[in-house]
Amino acid sequence: MIAKKLTSDLSVAEQINPGDLAEVAKLGFKSIMSNRPDGEGEGQPSFAEIANEAHRLGLEVRYIPVVSGKLTDEDTAAFQAAIEVMPKPILAYCRTGTRCTTLWALSQVGQRTVDDILNVAQNAGYDLKGVEARLHALVPLRSNATN
């Protein structure tokens, strides 16, 4: 398991397994968030399997499944609400980490510039050029909401 840091409070990773959670706890993570729907891939552990082991290790868990390529504004809002209240630092995972990074990016519009968001993602190894237009489109919406 390789955790890629987006912020001091949030890192992302590809699919984890229950056996990875002792290392996750040892690395200092306090919470785990799954953004991958159960049954998406063959051999994928269920969220319940992850959650049972996480609870045994004292980690908080959240399940916010997002269908690949169909990320909604509601998904972003649920992600943002969760990261605001979960104990930090948080490790979010999906199949490759891209969905988690995209959720984070969308949640940051209005708090960071689009260029900064894209640079943070790129530095973590995620190319979010495919959602750049969506990020830019949110800027005036989020700016109006804060005024």
Side-chain angles (χ1 to χ4, degrees):
M1 191 250 356
I2 298 172
K4 298 178 179 180
K5 186 180 261 191
L6 297 178
T7 70
S8 59
D9 290 338
L10 179 68
S11 294
V12 298
E14 61 187 24
Q15 177 68 55
I16 61 173
N17 293 299
D20 295 326
L21 290 167
E23 178 186 356
V24 168
K26 186 177 177 183
L27 290 171
F29 290 101
K30 305 291 184 213
S31 302
I32 304 293
M33 182 189 312
S34 173
N35 298 128
R36 188 174 191 198
D38 278 348
E40 184 180 66
E42 193 172 316
Q44 169 190 346
S46 70
F47 175 70
E49 293 172 275
I50 299 286
N52 287 338
E53 182 64 8
H55 285 138
R56 190 184 75 71
L57 294 165
L59 300 169
E60 186 168 319
V61 296
R62 283 285 177 10
Y63 184 52
I64 303 173
V66 175
V67 175
S68 183
K70 296 183 180 180
L71 196 149
T72 67
D73 292 339
E74 291 77 15
D75 295 328
T76 302
F79 179 89
Q80 186 169 11
I83 62 172
E84 288 175 7
V85 299
M86 293 173 76
K88 298 184 187 41
I90 302 164
L91 178 67
Y93 73 89
C94 57
R95 187 178 69 80
T96 66
T98 302
R99 260 176 281 188
C100 302
T101 303
T102 303
L103 285 162
W104 170 81
L106 292 167
S107 78
Q108 295 302 295
V109 174
Q111 299 174 48
R112 297 172 178 256
T113 67
V114 171
D115 285 344
D116 182 45
I117 292 167
L118 294 172
N119 286 334
V120 168
Q122 188 69 46
N123 289 338
Y126 297 99
D127 180 359
L128 297 187
K129 290 288 186 189
V131 295
E132 184 174 9
R134 185 172 176 183
L135 294 170
H136 281 292
L138 287 173
V139 171
L141 299 174
R142 300 270 172 89
S143 295
N144 292 337
T146 59
N147 291 335

